[in-house]
Amino acid sequence: MTKKIMILPGDGIGPEIVSQVSKLIKWYNENTDLNFETENGLIGGASIDAYGHPFTDETLEKCRSADAILMGAVGGPKWDDVDFDIRPEAGLLKLRKELELFANLRPALVFDALIDASSLKPEIVKGLDIMIVRELTGGIYFGEPRGIETLKNGERRGFNTQTYTTSEITRIGEVAFELAKKRSNKVHSCEKANVMESGKLWREEMTILHADKFKDVELEHMYADNCAMQLLRNPKQFDVIVTDNLFGDILSDEAAMLTGSLGMLPSASLGAINTDGKMHALYEPVHGSAPDIADQGIANPLATILSFSMMLRYSFGYKEHADRLDNAVQTILNRGLRTKDVMAKNCTEISTMQMGDEIISELSS
Ligand code: IPM
Ligand code: MG
């Protein structure tokens, strides 16, 4: 059956890394029984330049009707001065919110071949495999009221609202517990229940959900600041970490850097399963648009390629193809082929395009 993929290259290095996946998709169409149909659309600064808005309703509708979405990255200094509510990032937030992509899966995996790229000692990170499950459509990112107002005394006041409901907490908790069951069966739930009411509720609802449905999974509550510290002290104590939108943004960057190679980390943002059995899903690398290295052919496309592998796995259930693609990435790294960001002694530096080609020739072999 043909799967429709909407591709949003975005800004900075987005187009060059995403085009490696387009090449890969063409290879799958020509060489396997898989069949993909793709369409490209604009998001972020590229969309602001073309339409004056970071994500148009027309592109949104195309995403809604696709079977999965692949994005590069958004943002860059060029759009620093545009109005706050139409910044490139606002386009991505609109896509997440409109398709209700509430479950953001961010694996932090240390590849043996890249162990020296981590700033932590090898024995601390060797074999590290953490899954951060970040709530993506609630919390302070979207809470109302929000704004900047001028007070009577002339001072300005900026404000945002952190809010979570039972159902928002429960549905992300379920994703985390279900994932843990397929992994090492352990969930750390992180909030600031010692300071914030929304955190207190988060902890209570996670406890109830655990007792109701997931008693066989180990659950540990942890304050988010302690989690930030523990991630550096002893990251291998973690299996699945479930947390809110803002803490998840921060903790996932920290966990990503434990691996030493932000350019390697994929992500999936999954929605609820509709009555017709369809689940909206967006796949994107965790790294940003890196405008400083755009158009030089040196960006690492592997995070995007691994995001495509997550698409094969989570949206389409093509587990064997996903495994094969993940293995191809490992093999290329083991052979010492590297893009500049993860370049090391005795390795060979190759370009963005060459990396795409190497993955394809490894799949073909
Ligand atoms: C991320 C990014 C986004 C976020 C930005 C680009 C809106 O930092 O995906 O982690 O803050 O969620
Ligand atoms: Mg972030």
Side-chain angles (χ1 to χ4, degrees):
M1 217 174 68
T2 302
K3 303 289 186 192
K4 267 171 63 184
I5 304 174
M6 186 67 193
I7 299 184
L8 307 170
D11 309 319
I13 58 171
E16 33 188 325
I17 51 177
V18 159
S19 69
Q20 303 316 305
V21 171
S22 299
K23 224 157 61 178
L24 200 56
I25 290 175
K26 189 162 170 274
W27 181 86
Y28 278 102
N29 279 341
E30 289 168 1
N31 297 280
T32 68
D33 52 354
L34 305 189
N35 202 350
F36 302 110
E37 197 183 292
T38 63
E39 184 173 347
N40 281 40
L42 299 179
I43 192 167
S47 178
I48 297 177
D49 290 351
Y51 309 118
H53 192 281
F55 193 56
T56 64
D57 289 339
E58 201 194 341
T59 313
L60 171 65
E61 287 320 309
K62 288 181 178 166
C63 289
R64 206 189 289 283
S65 65
D67 294 312
I69 307 156
L70 179 78
M71 199 194 80
V74 294
K78 182 175 173 198
W79 304 280
D80 272 352
D81 295 328
V82 301
D83 286 347
F84 188 72
D85 51 340
I86 58 155
R87 284 179 60 81
E89 291 80 356
L92 176 57
L93 295 179
K94 176 176 168 184
L95 172 58
R96 288 174 179 171
K97 190 70 180 175
E98 289 290 333
L99 298 189
E100 241 189 295
L101 305 171
F102 70 94
N104 185 209
L105 276 39
R106 299 191 162 183
L109 196 78
V110 171
F111 290 84
D112 277 349
L114 297 182
I115 203 154
D116 292 323
S118 177
S119 49
L120 294 195
K121 297 191 191 94
E123 64 268 27
I124 306 258
V125 292
K126 187 172 166 46
L128 183 77
D129 179 2
I130 299 176
M131 178 68 88
I132 299 213
V133 178
R134 168 189 177 193
E135 199 292 326
L136 203 60
T137 51
I140 204 160
Y141 270 56
F142 298 97
E144 297 283 347
R146 62 189 297 157
I148 299 177
E149 63 182 10
T150 304
L151 302 174
K152 283 206 190 81
N153 66 4
E155 236 198 329
R156 294 203 302 155
R157 173 176 174 266
F159 54 100
N160 292 86
T161 305
Q162 163 84 338
T163 127
Y164 272 105
T165 59
T166 302
S167 58
E168 285 177 309
I169 299 166
T170 305
R171 70 178 180 177
I172 193 71
E174 289 194 348
V175 171
F177 284 121
E178 290 293 349
L179 274 169
K181 285 207 284 195
K182 296 187 201 127
R183 297 169 45 98
S184 303
N185 219 34
K186 189 167 179 190
V187 171
H188 281 82
S189 171
C190 299
E191 26 57 13
K192 285 285 288 178
N194 51 346
V195 188
M196 299 163 73
E197 282 77 3
S198 58
K200 181 169 148 43
L201 182 78
W202 183 283
R203 186 172 286 220
E204 288 170 5
E205 295 297 345
M206 284 295 174
T207 305
I208 293 168
L209 175 65
H210 177 244
D212 278 357
K213 287 170 102 175
F214 299 101
K215 273 209 200 77
D216 45 339
V217 181
E218 195 183 328
L219 169 66
E220 198 172 312
H221 301 285
M222 194 178 257
Y223 296 136
D225 54 343
N226 185 28
C227 179
M229 186 270 278
Q230 295 294 339
L231 273 171
L232 294 181
R233 195 185 71 87
N234 176 18
K236 280 192 256 178
Q237 71 187 286
F238 296 105
D239 176 26
V240 173
I241 296 175
V242 62
T243 188
D244 77 14
N245 204 343
L246 181 61
F247 294 139
D249 181 43
I250 298 165
L251 294 174
S252 64
D253 263 24
E254 188 188 352
M257 211 49 222
L258 292 176
T259 71
S261 38
L262 202 52
M264 294 294 307
L265 298 173
S267 81
S269 304
L270 311 178
I273 297 173
N274 297 341
T275 40
D276 60 359
K278 191 170 161 171
M279 174 188 75
H280 290 302
L282 163 71
Y283 299 85
E284 54 175 313
V286 168
H287 62 69
S289 59
D292 51 318
I293 61 158
D295 302 321
Q296 296 172 33
I298 57 172
N300 188 344
L302 291 178
T304 317
I305 289 173
L306 291 169
S307 298
F308 178 65
S309 159
M310 288 184 93
M311 181 190 293
L312 297 178
R313 196 180 299 281
Y314 292 104
S315 278
F316 305 145
Y318 300 150
K319 183 181 176 301
E320 275 160 34
H321 285 284
D323 288 345
R324 248 186 95 195
L325 183 52
D326 291 349
N327 288 337
V329 170
Q330 297 256 20
T331 307
I332 295 301
L333 292 174
N334 290 343
R335 250 194 243 142
L337 299 176
R338 305 286 156 84
T339 43
K340 189 174 178 144
D341 56 314
V342 284
M343 188 51 194
K345 246 199 267 150
N346 302 324
C347 291
T348 309
E349 188 179 322
I350 60 174
S351 70
T352 309
M353 259 174 63
Q354 284 170 318
M355 185 56 94
D357 295 341
E358 288 293 343
I359 297 292
I360 288 175
S361 70
E362 178 56 30
L363 286 174
S364 312
S365 70

